[in-house]
Amino acid sequence: MTPKARLSSAIDLLCAIENHPRRPADATANQFFRDRRFIGGGDRRAISAIVWDVLRKWKRLHWHLAPIDGGASPRLLCAASLIFSGEAVADVARLFDGDRFAQSPLSTREARGLEALAGRTLDDDAMPQDVRLEYPKFLEATLVARFGDRLEEEMRAMDAPAPLDLRVNLLKSDRASAKKNLADEQIHVTETPLSPWGLRAPSRLSVTATAAFKDGLVEIHDEGSQLIAACVDPQPGERIVDFCAGAGGKTLALAMLMENRGHITACDVSSPRLEGAVKRLRRAGVHNVERHVFTSGDKWVKRREGRFDRVLVDAPCSGSGTWRRNPDARIHLSENDIEELVAKQAQILDTAARLVRPGGRLVYATCSLLPAENEDQIAAFCQRHESFSLIAPEATHLPPVLRGETQFSLTPAANHTDGFFAATLVRKDA
């Protein structure tokens, strides 16, 4: 595709994302490219790069484009993003020439708006802090209290594209062997500093096309999420529940740590998500997992109260810890969303806790930066359930810096992972 065609497709994709504000941008992008299979891999990456650059600069671009009559359209957002990335205004304007596969020419209003950006920098001293650092205004007090004078460093880390993290599947390989197998296919990785099974590539590469991935030697898995599985510390032969399993990323890691012995039940409210785990489990060589889809009136929990050694609740959350991967999530997040999520998390915790046997462990995790979803949620749970108390896991797979902690938080700036929170609780013996 020509640069004109790529820009035109990027604008079309951004339009699609704006038209589905409650759907994750990556889901919209996946559907967009499925409907346009003629777009090759290199072009897909180039188009996505333009759009994700816009999403990362969203509030700042809107601030610069606000004086233009009609506001910031997808056309102007994509064009402005290119200009702030170093492209000359005249060169960007020439991409809008109405040729086949190109966007129609800029209107006088659009051209003047883009010309006004010449010589400017993306960051401007006149910007409010929430605009300059790209976070929802309503979270300002929370984030300032959470990070203090590190706020800018943490939010800037959210602007940088995330690396590609892999988890070596110890059921089929080891870290040194997997690293060599990937290198043989021109995927050069380094060992992650915190997870003992992690490998990291500096940018997103087509790992899924490699034999190492297809044969189940590695799985795409952020290092922070790998540490949540390490925190659970499942033992071979135990009975485990992954209560909000989704597509099974942590389920795979738990099965690996259990050496395929014992039993894991992967639960979720979404049948399509759980179905997506089937292929991954088969590829990884995992065979100690069964799946359960929660339905209205489900008696599954009631019939299994107090039977499980460990229960993992990777709760639905704001996703604020994943803004560097999903910058669209911060654009649409609202105060009402947080209130609804906190209530849902409490309900899920209360239900999942019923499954834990006396002396068993309950691990609560989110990919959130917000205390309301993390420390505050756990404090409220302990007040409701005196039979549970925080405990420091003795997991040997956790890095020394996290051992001895009853709960911990990870952030992109401090730990070079996505933002994660985990707390470990034990149910007192009857």
Side-chain angles (χ1 to χ4, degrees):
M1 296 176 72
T2 65
K4 296 176 187 178
R6 284 177 170 178
L7 176 60
S8 184
S9 292
I11 292 168
D12 290 342
L13 174 54
L14 188 57
C15 285
I17 290 170
E18 287 195 347
N19 288 337
H20 298 89
R22 303 307 294 179
R23 183 198 295 175
D26 57 354
T28 299
N30 289 339
Q31 184 61 55
F32 180 88
F33 290 122
R34 277 197 297 271
D35 293 341
R36 296 162 178 80
R37 296 188 182 275
F38 59 86
I39 299 179
D43 290 320
R44 285 197 299 270
R45 286 189 289 274
I47 293 164
S48 297
I50 295 172
V51 173
W52 257 252
D53 200 46
V54 169
L55 296 176
R56 288 191 182 93
K57 300 171 179 174
W58 188 260
K59 296 187 78 167
R60 286 168 291 176
L61 291 175
H62 277 76
W63 187 88
H64 281 287
L65 296 172
I68 301 175
D69 291 340
S73 66
R75 280 162 58 94
L76 286 174
L77 286 167
C78 288
S81 181
L82 292 176
I83 291 167
F84 284 120
S85 295
E87 299 287 338
V89 173
D91 291 339
V92 172
R94 278 193 285 271
L95 299 175
F96 295 81
D97 63 3
D99 284 352
R100 190 183 183 199
F101 305 126
Q103 288 280 306
S104 60
L106 295 170
S107 68
T108 301
R109 173 186 63 84
E110 290 175 321
R112 287 176 178 169
L114 294 181
E115 287 166 3
L117 303 181
R120 290 192 194 178
T121 57
L122 181 61
D123 291 341
D124 191 295
D125 290 340
M127 287 176 173
Q129 180 171 267
D130 63 296
V131 173
R132 186 170 55 84
L133 299 182
E134 296 281 351
Y135 59 76
K137 176 66 175 176
F138 78 92
L139 286 178
E140 185 156 71
T142 297
L143 292 173
V144 169
R146 169 79 169 80
F147 294 116
D149 58 9
R150 294 191 299 110
L151 177 61
E152 180 158 356
E153 179 187 6
E154 290 290 350
M155 293 301 102
R156 292 296 188 194
M158 287 294 186
D159 270 349
L164 175 69
D165 284 357
L166 306 172
R167 178 184 53 78
V168 176
N169 178 13
L170 299 184
L171 296 175
K172 291 191 171 187
S173 187
D174 57 62
R175 189 147 71 163
S177 299
K179 186 176 178 181
K180 182 180 183 303
N181 289 338
L182 288 165
D184 289 343
E185 298 187 75
Q186 305 306 309
I187 304 291
H188 299 286
V189 296
T190 58
E191 296 182 358
T192 52
L194 299 175
S195 168
W197 326 292
L199 296 172
R200 175 168 294 162
S203 60
R204 298 197 66 81
L205 303 170
S206 186
V207 171
T208 56
T210 66
F213 180 85
K214 292 178 180 178
D215 294 342
L217 307 186
V218 295
E219 186 74 26
I220 297 173
H221 199 177
D222 182 77
E223 184 184 23
S225 185
Q226 295 179 39
L227 296 175
I228 301 302
C231 193
V232 178
D233 195 28
Q235 301 300 307
E238 288 186 332
R239 290 168 57 84
I240 310 291
V241 175
D242 188 353
F243 200 75
C244 305
K250 294 184 183 70
T251 305
L252 290 167
L254 298 176
M256 176 190 77
L257 292 175
M258 295 170 70
E259 301 170 6
N260 253 338
R261 295 152 54 197
H263 189 80
I264 302 174
T265 304
C267 304
D268 206 90
V269 295
S270 170
S271 179
R273 281 202 294 264
L274 278 180
E275 284 299 319
V278 174
K279 186 176 180 180
R280 300 175 75 184
L281 293 166
R282 187 179 301 120
R283 185 177 64 239
V286 169
H287 51 71
N288 67 332
V289 174
E290 71 168 333
R291 292 166 293 125
H292 178 77
V293 180
F294 290 125
T295 57
S296 179
D298 199 330
K299 301 263 195 305
W300 188 88
V301 171
K302 182 178 180 180
R303 291 169 180 162
R304 291 162 178 79
E305 288 189 13
R307 293 190 184 181
F308 292 90
D309 299 290
R310 300 170 199 259
V311 176
L312 169 61
V313 176
D314 182 11
C317 68
S318 64
S320 51
T322 67
W323 284 344
R324 63 180 185 164
R325 297 183 191 277
N326 307 302
D328 57 298
R330 59 188 173 185
I331 296 170
H332 304 296
L333 189 65
S334 70
E335 290 184 80
N336 187 58
D337 290 334
I338 301 299
E339 292 173 3
E340 291 180 357
L341 284 164
V342 167
K344 181 184 289 187
Q345 291 157 1
Q347 181 182 30
I348 290 172
L349 262 175
D350 290 345
T351 303
R354 295 163 57 190
L355 296 168
V356 182
R357 67 166 175 79
R361 304 292 176 89
L362 174 65
V363 175
Y364 173 78
T366 72
C367 52
S368 172
L369 303 173
L370 309 180
E373 300 183 272
N374 298 336
E375 296 89 350
D376 296 351
Q377 187 67 263
I378 289 300
F381 173 82
C382 288
Q383 286 187 333
R384 295 193 305 273
H385 299 271
E386 294 183 357
S387 60
F388 282 86
S389 59
L390 285 163
I391 188 173
E394 299 175 355
T396 57
H397 301 298
L398 282 173
V401 69
L402 297 180
R403 290 179 202 162
E405 299 292 333
T406 60
Q407 46 192 339
F408 62 80
S409 295
L410 306 169
T411 68
N415 309 102
H416 307 291
T417 68
D418 285 350
F420 278 99
F421 170 84
T424 304
L425 303 107
V426 62
R427 182 177 178 183
K428 300 172 187 176
D429 290 330

